[in-house]
């Protein structure tokens, strides 16, 4: 399988090249030159396989430079870091299921791909004969940072530098990142929001001066955000795997269509679902769920993408995003792979803060979109607990709320999977408040109370984080982020 850029469909790259580079030189995103196909026999074969074997089988279709056995060994290492089944699908009502993607080391779905990416990155470099260090730059709205730090910590030949909005992540997300140990890691707060961090990092990737300066220190940049193909590809596997699970337990017939509802920010998770659909997975609807930062919901309903709007800090901070990077990959496909159009609309976005897209193409797609405000999100946490005995984190609750609205509006009875993206213990203060109506500001007290209230075990790794030392305290202005990268690269005091 070869890869092309969304802004130039002429040049072909291999999968290892796409993974090591992270983003194309023209600023576009790597996409597969075509979609491999799967059929009902493929699904049947998956039923017998372990989750790592399923991942390897799906990835092998996209990365033939890696053997199946090689991919399997990476997946086994990656998913051995999970507590039990990496991707359990739980039935909560007739024809309504929850896929829990947060049983990994950092308790959010980012682990599904970020435990795998370091293996793919190291192997890709080997295949390409690259021995310079890979400096992985990450912009995070809270969860990617920690998952990237855990994935890459002490991995030879790699370093990670995370930029996060100092006042835009939850308390627990901050503690998880700030206490991270590892020789090859740096965590830097910025004065700004996630979009500022993401823009700064994207600009660094195409900054020739920075590239040359880093090269002189024996380094090249890459990305662990979902703009990186190696981050996106493993996410396709859980859509296919959850479908196989529903077939295996007799909830659906092989070939029946299902819906997925996905709490969405940077559009990486749901895009992987779209790719699974393009491969032939029987999907009826992909439902985009936004929080109060409802730029995507408006876009899908009106065809106009506009970031000229207020930015809200919500209880679902990993979705507090206005510029959804991976939307570009979807629009590339919906427009019939029109690289010139991508250049044009993303230039419009940069210059005017908005662009329009053919609404008929959006309406003709399998996407639906809705959003939930803060009160609706809390109500969803309360109601799903009350009615279905599940405790949702605020991101998952946004999806739950949007699904409720959707099913009332449409009376669609298609079996549906709500994609659950974080453990409620990553956001104990807000979840507890939604359940009890009382706000306990102390995160650790809130965790204990939430344990009593929900009957769900609090993970020790999160509870005992208060005994860990805060290692990373640096905060910079967004315009100094690039200098921080150089300082990190030139710092000879690290081990
Ligand atoms: C990152 C994240 C999301 C949003 O996923 P995207 O791929 O950015 O759309 C939703 N929920 C949680 C908990 C996350 O960490």
């Amino acid at each position: 399988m070869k890869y092309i850029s969304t802004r130039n469909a002429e040049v072909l790259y291999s999968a290892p090249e796409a993974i090591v580079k992270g983003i194309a030189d023209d600023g576009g995103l790597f996409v597969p030159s075509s979609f491999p196909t799967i059929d009902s026999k493929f699904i049947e074969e998956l039923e017998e396989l372990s989750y790592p074997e399923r991942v390897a089988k799906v990835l092998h279709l996209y990365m033939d430079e890696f053997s199946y056995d090689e991919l399997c060994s990476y997946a086994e290492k990656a998913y051995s870091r999970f507590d039990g089944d990496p991707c359990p699908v739980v039935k909560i009502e007739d024809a309504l299921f929850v896929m829990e993607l947060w049983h990994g080391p950092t308790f959010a779905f980012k682990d599904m791909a970020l435990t795998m990416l370091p293996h793919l990155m190291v192997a890709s470099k080997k295949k390409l004969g690259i021995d310079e260090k890979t400096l992985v730059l990450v912009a995070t709205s809270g969860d990617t940072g920690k998952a990237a730090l855990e994935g890459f910590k002490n991995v030879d030949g790699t370093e990670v530098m995370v930029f996060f909005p100092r006042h835009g992540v939850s308390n627990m997300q901050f503690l998880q990142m700030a206490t991270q140990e590892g020789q090859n890691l740096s965590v830097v707060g910025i004065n700004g929001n996630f979009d500022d961090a993401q823009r700064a990092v994207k600009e660094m990737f195409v900054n020739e001066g920075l590239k040359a300066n880093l090269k002189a220190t024996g380094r090249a940049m890459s990305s662990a955000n979902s703009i990186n193909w190696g981050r996106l590809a493993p996410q396709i596997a859980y859509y296919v795997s959850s479908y196989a699970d529903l077939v295996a337990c007799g909830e659906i017939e092989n070939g029946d269509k299902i819906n997925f509802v996905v709490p969405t920010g940077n559009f990486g998770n749901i895009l992987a679902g779209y790719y699974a659909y393009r491969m032939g997975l029987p999907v009826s609807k992909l439902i985009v769920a936004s929080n109060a930062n409802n730029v995507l919901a408006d876009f899908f309903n009106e065809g106009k993408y506009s970031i000229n709007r207020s930015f809200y800090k919500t209880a679902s901070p990993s979705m507090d995003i206005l510029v959804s990077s991976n939307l570009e990959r979807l629009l590339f496909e919906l427009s019939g792979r029109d690289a010139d159009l991508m250049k044009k609309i993303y230039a419009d976005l940069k210059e005017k803060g908005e662009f329009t897209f053919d609404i008929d193409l959006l309406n003709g797609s399998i996407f639906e979109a809705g959003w939930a405000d803060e009160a609706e999100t809390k109500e969803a946490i309360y109601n799903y607990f009350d009615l279905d005995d599940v405790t949702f984190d605020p991101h998952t609750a946004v999806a739950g709320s949007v699904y409720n609205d959707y099913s009332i509006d449409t009376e669609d009875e298609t079996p549906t999977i709500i994609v659950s993206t974080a453990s409620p213990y990553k956001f104990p203060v807000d979840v507890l408040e939604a359940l009890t109506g009382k706000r306990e500001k102390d995160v650790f007290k809130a965790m204990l109370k939430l344990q009593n209230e929900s009957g769900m075990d609090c993970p020790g790794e999160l509870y005992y984080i208060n005994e860990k030392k805060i290692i990373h305290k640096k905060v910079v202005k967004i315009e100094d982020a690039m200098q921080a990268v150089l300082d990190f690269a030139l710092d000879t005091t690290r081990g």
Side-chain angles (χ1 to χ4, degrees):
M1 174 70 63
K2 292 292 180 203
Y3 292 82
I4 53 177
S5 159
T6 49
R7 299 193 194 170
N8 178 352
E10 309 293 309
V11 186
L12 299 176
Y13 300 82
S14 68
E17 284 173 315
I19 292 166
V20 170
K21 277 179 153 317
I23 190 166
D25 294 328
D26 55 26
L29 306 184
F30 290 115
V31 293
S33 57
S34 64
F35 288 104
T37 53
I38 59 175
D39 55 14
S40 55
K41 194 165 149 284
F42 185 95
I43 298 289
E44 218 175 278
E45 287 164 5
L46 283 192
E47 288 178 38
E48 305 293 310
L49 303 183
S50 68
Y51 189 71
E53 289 167 332
R54 290 176 179 189
V55 173
K57 208 165 144 73
V58 171
L59 282 187
H60 190 51
L61 299 172
Y62 283 102
M63 304 180 179
D64 41 26
E65 294 88 350
F66 300 82
S67 71
Y68 171 78
D69 288 343
E70 202 177 351
L71 291 167
C72 224
S73 82
Y74 304 150
E76 262 153 22
K77 280 185 213 143
Y79 298 106
S80 70
R81 300 190 61 191
F82 282 60
D83 183 13
D85 183 352
C87 163
V89 180
V90 182
K91 181 171 182 171
I92 60 167
E93 285 175 25
D94 255 359
L96 185 59
F97 306 86
V98 176
M99 165 157 65
E100 296 177 354
L101 299 179
W102 40 262
H103 295 282
T106 77
F107 306 98
F109 94 93
K110 305 298 196 290
D111 290 326
M112 299 302 288
L114 279 165
T115 50
M116 191 68 188
L117 178 64
H119 298 289
L120 293 173
M121 184 84 83
V122 169
S124 294
K125 284 173 67 182
K126 220 175 252 164
K127 285 180 201 296
L128 297 171
I130 296 174
D131 38 39
E132 56 194 352
K133 267 197 180 166
T134 303
L135 174 53
V136 178
L137 299 181
V138 179
T140 185
S141 55
D143 290 330
T144 296
K146 177 63 181 181
L149 294 165
E150 270 301 317
F152 281 95
K153 91 173 161 205
N154 302 333
V155 172
D156 275 351
T158 71
E159 293 167 330
V160 175
M161 196 159 182
V162 171
F163 292 97
F164 72 99
R166 178 59 190 95
H167 301 289
V169 300
S170 83
N171 216 328
M172 180 54 78
Q173 288 176 319
F174 170 73
L175 287 173
Q176 280 187 295
M177 289 189 281
T179 56
Q180 177 71 45
E181 294 164 12
Q183 288 297 334
N184 58 335
L185 312 171
S186 170
V187 180
V188 179
I190 58 137
N191 287 321
N193 61 31
F194 170 74
D195 290 313
D196 299 321
Q198 174 159 259
R199 192 179 339 102
V201 166
K202 274 191 179 170
E203 281 170 8
M204 288 188 228
F205 285 129
V206 293
N207 185 310
E208 295 301 329
L210 179 63
K211 261 191 225 174
N213 282 330
L214 288 174
K215 199 172 169 61
T217 72
R219 288 175 175 80
M221 290 176 274
S222 189
S223 165
N225 282 95
S226 51
I227 54 176
N228 191 319
W229 174 245
R231 179 53 213 285
L232 204 55
Q235 296 179 177
I236 301 170
Y238 52 74
Y239 286 91
V240 183
S241 173
S242 60
Y243 185 90
D245 281 342
L246 290 191
V247 175
C249 64
E251 290 290 344
I252 57 169
E253 298 282 336
N254 197 347
D256 287 354
K257 288 187 177 178
I258 65 171
N259 299 331
F260 291 94
V261 193
V262 188
T264 297
N266 223 2
F267 212 75
N269 194 351
I270 199 164
L271 182 81
Y274 176 74
Y275 280 8
Y277 158 74
R278 290 295 303 267
M279 294 167 76
L281 191 74
V283 179
S284 174
K285 294 287 181 199
L286 289 171
I287 302 167
V288 178
S290 301
N291 66 18
N293 295 296
N294 56 0
V295 56
L296 281 168
D298 283 356
F299 174 66
F300 278 96
N301 293 316
E302 292 156 20
K304 182 170 159 189
Y305 195 97
S306 173
I307 61 170
N308 301 318
R309 58 172 70 220
S310 307
F311 177 88
Y312 299 102
K313 279 201 246 177
T314 72
S316 45
S318 303
M319 292 151 63
D320 290 346
I321 295 177
L322 294 182
V323 182
S324 275
S325 288
N326 279 294
L327 185 67
E328 178 168 347
R329 284 185 163 117
L330 176 68
L331 300 184
F332 183 67
E333 299 301 333
L334 294 183
S335 68
R337 307 200 136 198
D338 189 341
D340 290 334
L341 180 68
M342 292 306 109
K343 271 187 246 168
K344 183 190 169 302
I345 62 179
Y346 282 95
D348 283 350
L349 186 65
K350 203 168 176 185
E351 280 151 33
K352 297 178 223 153
E354 59 182 52
F355 64 78
T356 52
F357 190 80
D358 188 345
I359 185 77
D360 292 337
L361 292 177
L362 296 174
N363 288 339
S365 75
I366 62 167
F367 286 88
E368 297 286 331
W371 65 286
D373 65 21
E374 291 294 271
E376 289 166 328
T377 304
K378 285 212 172 113
E379 204 177 293
I381 293 176
Y382 182 87
N383 285 336
Y384 277 92
F385 181 73
D386 193 36
L387 300 173
D388 301 313
D389 210 19
V390 282
T391 311
F392 282 166
D393 92 285
H395 304 76
T396 309
V398 167
S401 174
V402 167
Y403 176 67
N404 261 349
D405 294 347
Y406 169 82
S407 64
I408 291 167
D409 286 352
T410 60
E411 297 180 17
D412 182 1
E413 288 176 1
T414 307
T416 297
I417 294 181
I418 295 176
V419 179
S420 177
T421 50
S423 160
Y425 285 104
K426 273 198 107 155
F427 309 94
V429 174
D430 289 299
V431 175
L432 182 72
E433 183 179 63
L435 292 181
T436 64
K438 287 187 214 118
R439 192 160 181 89
E440 168 55 70
K441 278 207 199 122
D442 182 296
V443 184
F444 300 97
K445 284 185 190 152
M447 278 196 227
L448 290 182
K449 288 187 181 168
L450 181 57
Q451 188 161 256
N452 282 337
E453 201 65 33
S454 69
M456 232 181 121
D457 285 341
C458 174
E461 290 90 327
L462 294 181
Y463 188 73
Y464 292 109
I465 207 164
N466 62 346
E467 292 175 5
K468 287 198 166 171
K469 209 174 122 206
I470 304 267
I471 298 170
H472 305 279
K473 294 180 182 161
K474 189 166 175 162
V475 181
V476 301
K477 289 199 209 106
I478 191 66
E479 54 272 25
D480 297 332
M482 190 149 85
Q483 188 56 45
V485 171
L486 283 171
D487 292 347
F488 177 71
L490 294 171
D491 179 1
T492 51
T493 60
R494 281 181 296 124

